[in-house]
Amino acid sequence: MKPTYRLITLGLVGATAVLAAGTGAAASTTDTVRTVDAQDLMRYNALHYDVSLEYRSGSKDMGGTTTLKARATGALSRFALDFGGGRINRVTVNGRPARFQASGERVLVTPKPLADGAEFSVTVDYVVTRSNGPDNHGPWREIEDGFAIDPQRYQTMHHVYPCKNDIADKATYTISVTAPAHLTGVANGDLSQTRQLPGGRTVRTYRMAHPMPAHDGQIAVGPYSLVTRPGPDGVTIRDVVPTAQASQLKQTLARTDDQLRWQTARLGAYPFATYGIFAPLGTISPYESQTMTTISASSLASGPMDYLRAHELNHQWFGASVTPVKLDDDWTAEGHAHFYGTWYDSEQTRPDSPDAFAADMRMNYDMDQEVRDSEGPPATPKPVSGQTQRVGGALALYALRQTVGAQTFERIERTVVSRFKDGVMSTADYIAVASQVSGRDVSGLLKDWLYGAKTPPMPGHPDWKSS
Ligand SMILES: [Zn+2]
């Protein structure tokens, strides 16, 4: 659940960046200001990020190196990376030092000119400072000796390392986190290597072999243990828990197996090799990153959290593997997560009631008009809380299921998760698949639900009255 972040990120697309001229770390906003078109500066596709960060106890500064492999989508005499987290020391492009200018949350890089279609590699050496700024809108969550990322507070990963902060430009990742030996460096993805370094440091390297949206990462350091076990269908379950609470959390973490089985029974194979819960110390908002759901250890210890865990797990299919193109498509992630989270929770809490899911959907129906009035329709949401994407999006899916039947609905869902796997999906894409698979034109039905100012009637439930 991170609509705020998505919104802010997407708001930048097509915006005009104002960059202060200057060179290197000495760049200053008092230098000559010039305006450049942001889209021209982003004419490249991100292919792979190699990110290294080193945490030192007692310091808010972390040294880092990020190498981005990318492909130019136009002739490039300069390009930009998003970075709002600290100080850049050096930039190279294809191994050659490149001029760079930093201002605000962008870095403008001037390489040796790159041809349209050329693959290139840009390496940025930097120091990132874990500071959330005076408005506390940054992503950092500090603990006594360590930190975690809370990306839903604000656009995030470009506060941690330079990247192209575009939800639709997915890339593969290698993330290496170095920490003192008494702590554990954590990231989402598959742990591929653990190495000891001189000075009592350990570096852990995680690989994300499937393309990931830039905001879907997690990086953390703390007194954590990686607890790995085989899960259903060949998925490796890897939880990351405070070492001191590992035995206390074991029982609730075991529920993941059932949650995975339940969702794969409806959507098909889990899209990645690894899944698990990261249960950090301290206070943090729950959210999904690719292959890993973050829920604070204290929350996890407080109860089953069936809805939340099913909601976040569903984001592995809708959000991580199949990513919304832009904010207007965000309901395809949040609507699905709310739909399946509500469905799973209804079965867990009222297993003897076949009408439990319908009853919960009716509660959503009863509030939908009020949500539309304040936040807009699900597929043209206002920048508010994301509630319309969740409530209206889930109701749109429920209305579709009521119309085409449960079996056809499941075929639609399985088709979209396989067709758009590791890619992006728009609202129009979803509607087209729904019509194609069901063999009937459901575009009118879905458009009424997704774009209408008024809550439509719910098929099969004439007694449901919109307020
Ligand atoms: Zn969500």
Side-chain angles (χ1 to χ4, degrees):
M1 291 198 274
K2 53 189 172 223
T4 308
Y5 166 72
R6 285 200 172 123
L7 177 81
I8 292 166
T9 302
L10 294 159
L12 287 173
V13 176
T16 299
V18 178
L19 293 165
T23 301
S28 159
T29 51
T30 59
D31 291 339
T32 309
V33 175
R34 57 182 166 166
T35 303
V36 289
D37 181 74
Q39 286 186 322
D40 278 353
L41 292 171
M42 292 298 185
R43 287 190 302 178
Y44 60 88
N45 286 334
L47 302 175
H48 181 79
Y49 289 91
D50 195 330
V51 178
S52 298
L53 277 174
E54 176 162 7
Y55 171 88
R56 293 174 191 271
S57 296
S59 173
K60 290 278 178 82
D61 289 345
M62 298 194 291
T65 301
T66 291
T67 296
L68 166 62
K69 287 195 174 67
R71 182 182 297 115
T73 55
L76 282 180
S77 58
R78 59 185 177 176
F79 62 89
L81 290 164
D82 297 297
F83 184 55
R87 186 178 76 244
I88 290 179
N89 293 325
R90 177 180 155 90
V91 176
T92 61
V93 176
N94 293 334
R96 296 164 178 248
R99 286 189 63 236
F100 63 96
Q101 300 169 325
S103 176
E105 301 196 341
R106 281 266 163 92
V107 182
L108 181 62
V109 179
T110 306
K112 188 165 173 273
L114 297 161
D116 184 7
E119 283 195 17
F120 64 97
S121 166
V122 52
T123 298
V124 184
D125 292 328
Y126 56 95
V127 174
V128 65
T129 302
R130 298 194 311 278
S131 167
N132 287 332
D135 54 4
N136 200 32
H137 270 179
W140 304 102
R141 293 293 170 271
E142 297 290 311
I143 59 173
E144 188 176 336
D145 193 1
F147 70 93
I149 302 292
D150 184 351
Q152 72 182 1
R153 299 268 305 183
Y154 197 54
Q155 53 185 148
T156 299
M157 278 306 170
H158 78 296
H159 284 250
V160 181
Y161 52 82
C163 59
K164 182 183 179 186
N165 212 351
D166 175 352
I167 186 173
D169 195 0
K170 298 164 74 169
T172 54
Y173 283 77
T174 304
I175 299 175
S176 297
V177 187
T178 301
H182 68 284
L183 301 174
T184 298
V186 176
N188 55 330
D190 307 324
L191 179 66
S192 62
Q193 191 178 55
T194 301
R195 279 187 302 133
Q196 311 301 322
L197 298 180
R201 297 170 299 154
T202 304
V203 55
R204 287 179 173 80
T205 299
Y206 300 83
R207 285 188 53 79
M208 184 65 69
H210 293 261
M212 179 173 87
H215 63 269
D216 250 11
Q218 172 62 283
I219 296 177
V221 169
Y224 300 124
S225 292
L226 275 56
V227 183
T228 301
R229 60 191 166 84
D233 301 328
V235 177
T236 296
I237 306 286
R238 193 205 63 206
D239 298 311
V240 182
V241 296
T243 304
Q245 296 177 46
S247 57
Q248 181 198 353
L249 295 173
K250 188 174 178 184
Q251 192 175 356
T252 188
L253 288 168
R255 298 170 66 87
T256 296
D257 293 54
D258 179 64
Q259 292 160 359
L260 259 174
R261 280 192 207 97
W262 189 91
Q263 302 231 15
T264 55
R266 284 153 184 79
L267 294 170
Y270 175 75
F272 309 111
T274 305
Y275 181 71
I277 304 278
F278 172 37
L281 296 165
T283 303
I284 197 164
S285 307
Y287 77 95
E288 74 286 3
S289 41
Q290 192 158 303
T291 73
M292 179 189 271
T293 288
T294 297
I295 301 175
S296 73
S298 58
S299 296
L300 200 60
S302 69
M305 315 208 85
D306 283 327
Y307 167 78
L308 181 65
R309 287 173 66 176
H311 175 119
E312 304 297 20
L313 174 56
N314 185 264
H315 275 313
Q316 299 300 323
W317 282 267
F318 292 103
S321 179
V322 179
T323 303
V325 177
K326 57 187 190 301
L327 177 68
D328 284 354
D329 311 312
D330 188 45
W331 75 270
T332 65
E334 293 303 334
H336 275 102
H338 187 53
F339 178 87
Y340 287 97
T342 303
W343 189 359
Y344 180 77
D345 182 68
S346 71
E347 290 191 0
Q348 297 302 305
T349 54
R350 286 148 290 163
D352 299 325
S353 169
D355 298 328
F357 182 40
D360 287 352
M361 277 294 120
R362 180 168 191 171
M363 285 171 52
N364 282 270
Y365 189 86
D366 288 346
M367 73 172 81
D368 183 70
Q369 187 60 57
E370 196 176 327
V371 173
R372 271 170 211 262
D373 288 344
S374 62
E375 300 195 6
T380 50
K382 292 179 195 169
V384 192
S385 71
Q387 186 82 332
T388 190
Q389 292 99 302
R390 287 190 287 276
V391 172
L395 287 168
L397 296 169
Y398 188 75
L400 176 63
R401 187 169 180 262
Q402 289 287 103
T403 301
V404 301
Q407 287 186 343
T408 301
F409 177 74
E410 187 174 316
R411 282 198 292 123
I412 292 168
E413 296 285 87
R414 286 172 178 261
T415 301
V416 294
V417 298
S418 83
R419 188 170 298 177
F420 301 104
K421 179 181 168 68
D422 292 334
V424 295
M425 178 174 73
S426 69
T427 300
D429 290 332
Y430 185 85
I431 292 173
V433 170
S435 292
Q436 180 199 10
V437 171
S438 66
R440 55 197 284 185
D441 183 0
V442 290
S443 61
L445 171 89
L446 286 172
K447 284 177 179 171
D448 283 352
W449 276 96
L450 295 169
Y451 295 103
K454 296 292 176 194
T455 301
M458 180 57 75
H461 291 292
D463 54 319
W464 293 12
K465 301 294 181 198
S466 176
S467 56

